[in-house]
Amino acid sequence: MKPRTPIAPFALLIFFSSSITYCFAGNVTYDSRSLIINGRRELIISAAIHYPRSVPGMWPGLVQKAKEGGVNTIESYVFWNGHELSPGKYYFGGRFNLVKFIKIIQQARMYMILRIGPFVAAEYNYGGIPVWLHYIPGTVFRNDTEPFKYHMQKFMTLIVDMMKREKLFASQGGPIILAQVENEYGYYESFYGEGGKRYALWAAKMAVAQNIGVPWIMCQQFDTPDPVINTCNSFYCDQFTPHSPSMPKIWTENWPGWFKTFGGRDPHRPSEDIAFSVARFFQKGGSVHNYYMYHGGTNFGRTAGGPFITTSYDYEAPIDEYGLPRNPKWGHLKELHGAIKLCEHALLNGERSNLSLGSSQEADVYADSSGACAAFLANMDDKNDKTVVFRNVSYHLPAWSVSILPDCKKVVFNTANVRAQSSTVEMVPENLQPSEASPDNGSKGLKWEVFKEIAGIWGEADFVKSGFVDHINTTKDTTDYLWYTTSIIVNENEEFLKNGSRPVLLIESKGHALHAFANQELQGSASGNGTHPPFKYKNPISLKAGKNEIALLSMTVGLQNAGPFYEWVGAGITSVKITGFNSGTLDLSTYSWTYKIGLQGEHLGIYNPGYRNNINWVSTMEPPKNQPLTWYKAVVKQPPGDEPIGLDMLKMGKGLAWLNGEEIGRYWPRKSRKSSPHDECVQECDYRGKFNPDKCITGCGEPSQRWYHIPRSWFKPSENILVIFEEKGGDPTKITFSIRKISGKFAFVSLNENDCAIEQSEANIGLCPQCNLRNL
């Protein structure tokens, strides 16, 4: 093993314990080097935390863990479709209490980047734009159409006025130092022609006219008009340059992981590569950096987009879905942030010079007249370690790494040298226990109540039509479910009735999933996937002589969240045929179809605790197993302790879950499948070389999601009502809670030259009183 250049042991992380330089008042401007806050250039390390993807009870802890991780800024989108439920009807409560979220950031003495958008993409349903807007005549999303611009400006002005009223912009003494209009429009502008160009210009001018007193940004927008700053989103942004030399280099989205889809693999981005990308960004003059995501959270309810995005939005972020630090990633990046902050003065005020140290090795040096000097030594070779000479001293550089020298002499951090301990995650099962207040018929077991949906039309039909309608245009996303039903007459002389064979049902759909029933019996299921939502169904069907009821339950699994003209992408059945008749193939596509939107249980709201309608619930100690279209309800105890809770749905099929009326989300323990012949899982990820989402995948043949986060704040001391809607069939007796336990601490920084030991752990963010170091 080659000897490594020793890393100067000192209190890298001293500034996290107490000392962000944030002040609560002042002007925010910028120059080519950085944002200028209160007349002082500042280096921004930001963490994306989306308020609707966690709950208010988690917000203070998430913000504090980010701060302890060396972050001085929190970033979030504003989620339009969660706030404007119908035109002019607004909601800012619960998970959508934006003002409360920002004030928690303010109380933590941190900055805020508010990405108002209001288009967000973000793997969020419909990209965060309300579905109702699509049905206003003349509307084309993100284009120069008056209805869209009217409603977009109205909502943005509402948010801006709300922030002004609460004095939350930095110009008013608040934490918001940047605001964003639109999002990644540069990818799609050309698809809209001249209307796209006009729209982008209009959006920028409209935002600037809001007069908020802080700069506006547009990420991945290549033609932003001054003074709006264009920014970078990518796995690597060191080579990015803003379109104007007077603007700072801003990285709005550095992806430390990736999202998951139902049926997809589990992507991982190594800590070493993330640290490499961040160090390279600051090495090359960057000054504002944001992790997307730092805490991904949960797509509660039906908020996941995609389609096929999982309910978990963990993103393999430094803080996991449950709000716990993910080590070594969190700890390694914490050390990185400490090293970068020690370079802040030189980075923002010194002159930069670049030195070649080899074919794929270089140094960037920042120095000013006061003597401040910081250096970054990089080895971009993705296979070989190198020893380089810098200022007459030899330095060992591991492959694909950056060494940081805050004094241009001693290495305090190398991106490939992970000293943070790995944490071990365990989901400890906890059986569902009956609440003391739940009905008890003398047994100590859990009592269930069961309600079975009708396969097909319940109540009055919504309408009857020859042929097929688009699923999304019919439901308008008020539900995932749409019933298509018809009937056929089978002659008793059909050969398949005599020989015991079965005809074959053939269905084509634009997406996303489907269950097929004949005479109330489930015949089979099919679905698309995250890369190709359309699908074909081919399965034998059981028919009898005489009249046969065909009921097809079409399902969406989140709506499109990005792309040109994405709001026009449809879903639902386009063709139905049955082969195997004496006369050949029976084409049902032109038949008269009866439609029903949603489920009876949804319509009645039987998942709400206050539900009082007279419905035929059946009480039992032994709930039916493998029964489709079944609602299950149980009154359960809260699991003991205070650790985070997941709901283990491994033995269930597909459906929705609620606790005390709160929407846990879609569950679907669908096993991961290959998306290409080269899509292979790895035992160990090589961090060296450029990352992509398919580089380090695991979970081959395993459920893409097994556990579903239930925030502790959703539980009551007793009488917790758990409701499950199961579409295909599963074993509810195998449902358990799981307590998420993490062991392992963040590694400590070793002795410095003055024998000052500083241990940094989740429980101990220490300060060495003997060390005379700058309080950052």
Side-chain angles (χ1 to χ4, degrees):
M1 179 179 291
K2 294 181 180 179
R4 295 186 182 275
T5 303
I7 292 180
F10 73 106
L12 279 183
L13 310 170
I14 192 170
F15 73 99
F16 302 135
S17 59
S18 61
S19 51
I20 301 300
T21 57
Y22 169 52
C23 297
F24 284 98
N27 189 32
V28 181
T29 58
Y30 60 81
D31 63 13
S32 62
R33 301 298 291 273
S34 70
L35 296 181
I36 300 172
I37 305 174
N38 295 322
R40 179 177 178 268
R41 287 177 177 158
E42 291 220 31
L43 186 152
I44 301 298
I45 300 176
S46 174
I49 300 174
H50 293 164
Y51 55 98
R53 284 174 158 148
S54 55
V55 294
M58 294 174 64
W59 294 342
L62 293 172
V63 170
Q64 187 59 35
K65 286 184 181 71
K67 185 174 182 178
E68 290 171 5
V71 167
N72 61 6
T73 303
I74 302 295
E75 175 270 327
S76 181
Y77 286 125
V78 176
F79 294 83
W80 185 3
N81 57 4
H83 291 300
E84 192 168 5
L85 307 181
S86 59
K89 181 184 177 183
Y90 300 106
Y91 177 71
F92 287 92
R95 293 184 290 113
F96 291 90
N97 193 332
L98 175 60
V99 168
K100 181 175 182 177
F101 179 72
I102 298 175
K103 287 188 174 181
I104 287 171
I105 296 166
Q106 184 176 33
Q107 289 160 8
R109 300 187 63 78
M110 299 177 75
Y111 295 127
M112 172 76 183
I113 297 173
L114 191 66
R115 298 172 74 182
I116 302 175
F119 169 80
V120 301
E123 292 73 57
Y124 208 71
N125 204 45
Y126 234 40
I129 296 179
V131 173
W132 54 257
L133 184 53
H134 178 53
Y135 299 100
I136 292 179
T139 300
V140 177
F141 287 5
R142 311 177 77 195
N143 197 7
D144 187 27
T145 58
E146 291 307 316
F148 183 77
K149 292 193 298 181
Y150 169 79
H151 286 282
M152 173 180 168
Q153 181 171 359
K154 180 182 174 186
F155 180 74
M156 284 199 67
T157 303
L158 176 88
I159 296 299
V160 166
D161 287 349
M162 181 181 294
M163 299 301 105
K164 287 181 178 179
R165 192 164 54 249
E166 299 290 338
K167 300 188 184 307
L168 293 175
F169 288 111
S171 55
Q172 302 172 292
I176 302 172
I177 57 171
L178 283 176
Q180 179 176 307
V181 59
E182 250 301 336
N183 183 46
E184 297 180 335
Y185 190 62
Y187 292 138
Y188 310 115
E189 182 181 298
S190 62
F191 290 93
Y192 297 90
E194 288 302 313
K197 292 183 180 295
R198 291 194 302 270
Y199 166 72
L201 182 63
W202 169 85
K205 289 183 176 179
M206 180 269 291
V208 172
Q210 299 279 346
N211 191 28
I212 60 177
V214 304
W216 285 92
I217 59 174
M218 296 179 88
C219 69
Q220 293 300 112
Q221 185 64 37
F222 315 115
D223 55 0
T224 55
D226 288 346
V228 179
I229 308 169
N230 68 313
T231 71
C232 182
N233 291 357
S234 183
F235 289 111
Y236 307 93
C237 281
D238 48 289
Q239 299 303 310
F240 167 78
T241 55
H243 74 83
S244 169
S246 66
M247 293 177 176
K249 185 170 176 172
I250 298 177
W251 191 354
T252 31
E253 292 189 17
N254 181 0
W255 307 313
W258 203 242
F259 57 85
K260 290 180 65 175
T261 60
F262 286 117
R265 307 300 179 82
D266 198 358
H268 303 278
R269 188 179 183 191
S271 305
E272 299 96 324
D273 180 64
I274 303 167
F276 174 80
S277 72
V278 177
R280 287 286 290 166
F281 176 70
F282 286 104
Q283 176 180 350
K284 293 300 181 181
S287 60
V288 179
H289 170 274
N290 177 63
Y291 293 102
Y292 183 102
M293 301 292 296
Y294 197 80
H295 164 73
T298 308
N299 291 313
F300 295 112
R302 298 172 50 254
T303 57
F308 294 98
I309 301 297
T310 55
T311 299
S312 171
Y313 198 64
D314 179 85
Y315 222 87
E316 212 199 21
I319 299 175
D320 72 15
E321 178 183 5
Y322 295 80
L324 301 175
R326 169 177 277 112
N327 278 315
K329 187 171 286 188
W330 182 85
H332 190 53
L333 296 178
K334 176 176 182 172
E335 288 197 58
L336 167 68
H337 303 154
I340 291 171
K341 287 293 282 186
L342 289 170
C343 303
E344 180 173 16
H345 178 78
L347 281 172
L348 300 183
N349 299 285
E351 293 297 320
R352 178 164 71 97
S353 59
N354 177 265
L355 304 172
S356 174
L357 302 177
S359 59
S360 298
Q361 297 76 40
E362 66 177 353
D364 284 277
V365 181
Y366 293 80
D368 68 7
S369 57
S370 71
C373 185
F376 293 75
L377 312 184
N379 179 11
M380 289 84 74
D381 190 313
D382 61 6
K383 294 180 177 62
N384 303 302
D385 293 7
K386 295 290 182 179
T387 298
V388 300
V389 176
F390 172 69
R391 296 193 171 188
N392 300 318
V393 178
S394 292
Y395 295 89
H396 179 77
L397 300 180
W400 201 252
S401 78
V402 177
S403 287
I404 300 176
L405 294 69
D407 60 357
C408 287
K409 297 176 182 177
K410 294 180 179 177
V411 177
V412 301
F413 183 85
N414 177 272
T415 59
N417 186 357
V418 179
R419 298 183 294 174
Q421 294 178 5
S422 296
S423 46
T424 301
V425 179
E426 188 177 8
M427 298 298 286
V428 180
E430 180 76 23
N431 288 333
L432 304 183
Q433 298 293 331
S435 173
E436 294 86 345
S438 65
D440 193 347
N441 60 1
S443 170
K444 293 184 179 179
L446 184 64
K447 182 177 180 180
W448 292 88
E449 292 187 85
V450 179
F451 170 69
K452 192 172 189 311
E453 289 268 343
I454 296 171
I457 304 303
W458 51 270
E460 275 190 45
D462 286 313
F463 59 93
V464 179
K465 187 179 187 300
S466 295
F468 303 117
V469 298
D470 180 78
H471 182 131
I472 299 170
N473 285 341
T474 304
T475 65
K476 295 182 172 57
D477 199 41
T478 56
T479 173
D480 282 352
Y481 304 103
L482 177 63
W483 284 105
Y484 297 64
T485 67
T486 193
S487 62
I488 61 173
I489 303 297
V490 175
N491 192 295
E492 60 185 11
N493 294 322
E494 289 291 344
E495 191 65 30
F496 66 79
L497 294 175
K498 298 176 182 179
N499 62 25
S501 63
R502 292 196 292 168
V504 175
L505 176 62
L506 305 172
I507 304 173
E508 295 182 8
S509 173
K510 293 181 288 185
H512 307 150
L514 175 138
H515 303 309
F517 295 82
N519 302 315
Q520 297 290 311
E521 295 296 325
L522 179 63
Q523 305 297 301
S525 305
S527 63
N529 57 51
T531 56
H532 189 67
F535 63 91
K536 294 182 180 180
Y537 171 100
K538 181 179 181 181
N539 222 40
I541 182 172
S542 297
L543 298 175
K544 62 185 180 180
K547 186 176 182 181
N548 291 262
E549 301 289 342
I550 308 296
L552 307 177
L553 182 59
S554 175
M555 293 162 288
T556 48
V557 191
L559 304 188
Q560 293 289 133
N561 62 263
F565 303 102
Y566 74 90
E567 73 272 25
W568 301 93
V569 177
I573 297 165
T574 57
S575 172
V576 178
K577 297 177 182 179
I578 303 177
T579 66
F581 287 90
N582 294 348
S583 58
T585 297
L586 182 65
D587 190 346
L588 279 63
S589 302
T590 57
Y591 272 44
S592 178
W593 289 83
T594 303
Y595 291 88
K596 189 65 180 177
I597 298 170
L599 308 167
Q600 184 178 12
E602 281 185 306
H603 177 74
L604 296 173
I606 62 177
Y607 46 81
N608 288 318
Y611 169 76
R612 290 292 180 268
N613 209 314
N614 183 23
I615 195 171
N616 189 25
W617 285 103
V618 176
S619 296
T620 179
M621 303 302 292
E622 296 185 8
K625 302 173 185 178
N626 300 315
Q627 178 174 285
L629 303 180
T630 302
W631 293 83
Y632 299 96
K633 179 167 67 173
V635 183
V636 298
K637 284 183 180 179
Q638 177 178 189
D642 57 4
E643 297 99 338
I645 298 298
L647 186 69
D648 187 347
M649 302 296 282
L650 181 63
K651 298 299 182 181
M652 298 299 284
K654 179 180 179 295
L656 300 167
W658 294 261
L659 182 77
N660 296 324
E662 299 282 359
E663 298 176 288
I664 298 169
R666 299 184 184 100
Y667 69 85
W668 193 3
R670 185 184 190 187
K671 290 187 177 180
S672 61
R673 303 182 178 121
K674 284 187 177 183
S675 58
S676 74
H678 307 291
D679 183 14
E680 298 292 343
C681 287
V682 298
Q683 294 296 320
E684 185 175 349
C685 182
D686 185 352
Y687 72 87
R688 301 172 302 178
K690 287 200 170 183
F691 178 79
N692 66 75
D694 295 323
K695 180 180 179 182
C696 297
I697 53 176
T698 63
C700 293
E702 298 176 4
S704 45
Q705 185 171 353
R706 173 176 178 176
W707 291 282
Y708 299 81
H709 180 212
I710 308 179
R712 278 279 182 180
S713 60
W714 286 3
F715 284 94
K716 301 186 295 184
S718 62
E719 296 188 77
N720 293 284
I721 302 174
L722 179 66
V723 177
I724 308 292
F725 173 67
E726 171 57 45
E727 299 168 11
K728 298 196 299 181
D731 186 352
T733 66
K734 296 294 196 299
I735 296 173
T736 66
F737 291 128
S738 292
I739 299 174
R740 189 171 181 85
K741 293 182 179 289
I742 292 188
S743 59
K745 291 184 177 181
F746 170 58
F748 59 87
V749 180
S750 56
L751 296 179
N752 70 7
E753 293 178 89
N754 299 314
D755 296 324
C756 295
I758 298 181
E759 181 175 338
Q760 303 292 338
S761 71
E762 295 170 31
N764 178 18
I765 306 298
L767 176 65
C768 178
Q770 293 83 18
C771 301
N772 183 22
L773 296 174
R774 181 162 63 100
N775 183 26
L776 295 174

